[in-house]
Amino acid sequence: MSNHETVKQQPDTLDRLLELIPGSPTYEIRHQRTKVVDATQGSEDLLLGAPVEGLSVIDRLYVALLACALTPSETLKNEYVKRLSALGAPDQTIQTVANAQFEHLNDPRLKQMLIFTATLITDPVKADKQALLALKASGLTTPQITALAQLIAFVSYQVRVYAGLNALKALNPSGAQS
């Protein structure tokens, strides 16, 4: 065990959501590659927490929420609902995004970000030059569009890792510790 692991106070998002604890088979398998665990959480922290000029954390959480709703991943969707609520996002907007009914949103910029998210998740071939130009027309800059695309890719990765670990955990039903 490295010093970093012993100092780490809180479990990362995936360990927490999967209720993985040190010593459980799934936790031990996952943490054989500490660099991957740390990089996964580090990416989440960067993409959802670090300042991105013109893209609020709430906007990015709406994108993550929609990506989880469309993939689908109910657990991660609920996680992003909780984070949005904790930041004071309006419940009606949260539910509109969670139900992928963003056509009812009044914010054209957010709506375009969510349309792009839905396109990238459900029909990536259509996330082409026209889709990018629509984002530009809604006021997003190239760095903001890049951050948005990176976030969508990360959430897709996060959902798949969660699903894989959850399946692994189900194969090892040795009580609450797996």
Side-chain angles (χ1 to χ4, degrees):
M1 188 180 318
S2 71
N3 285 341
H4 181 70
E5 284 181 292
T6 53
V7 172
K8 203 173 193 178
Q9 304 268 335
Q10 304 254 345
D12 74 349
T13 299
L14 292 173
D15 283 350
R16 180 175 50 78
L17 293 176
L18 288 157
E19 299 178 349
L20 300 181
I21 58 172
S24 67
T26 305
Y27 178 94
E28 295 304 322
I29 289 169
R30 179 170 189 238
H31 286 267
Q32 285 177 3
R33 297 290 309 252
T34 303
K35 284 183 182 180
V36 175
V37 173
D38 292 345
T40 298
Q41 186 62 45
S43 294
E44 178 184 330
D45 294 344
L46 182 67
L47 292 167
L48 289 169
V52 176
E53 186 176 332
L55 280 182
S56 71
V57 171
I58 289 178
D59 285 345
R60 288 179 274 161
L61 286 171
Y62 282 136
V63 167
L65 171 59
L66 180 62
C68 291
L70 294 174
T71 301
S73 175
E74 197 66 27
T75 300
L76 282 162
K77 177 181 154 184
N78 291 337
E79 172 69 12
Y80 291 122
V81 165
K82 287 177 192 171
R83 290 184 192 188
L84 282 160
S85 293
L87 291 175
D91 288 337
Q92 183 176 351
T93 305
I94 293 170
Q95 289 312 309
T96 297
V97 174
N99 293 321
Q101 298 174 329
F102 46 88
E103 63 274 4
H104 301 295
L105 292 174
N106 294 325
D107 180 344
R109 186 170 175 272
L110 177 60
K111 184 176 177 179
Q112 195 59 51
M113 288 170 37
L114 296 173
I115 288 169
F116 180 74
T117 302
T119 302
L120 204 51
I121 298 275
T122 62
D123 197 357
V125 172
K126 291 184 180 174
D128 58 7
K129 182 178 179 179
Q130 290 305 107
L132 295 173
L133 290 173
L135 286 171
K136 282 258 191 201
S138 72
L140 271 75
T141 64
T142 300
Q144 292 166 345
I145 293 169
T146 302
L148 181 65
Q150 289 172 331
L151 173 60
I152 296 164
F154 170 76
V155 173
S156 293
Y157 162 80
Q158 185 183 44
V159 165
R160 284 161 179 74
V161 171
Y162 176 87
L165 290 169
N166 199 36
L168 185 61
K169 182 179 171 186
L171 289 174
N172 239 327
S174 59
Q177 291 191 5
S178 48

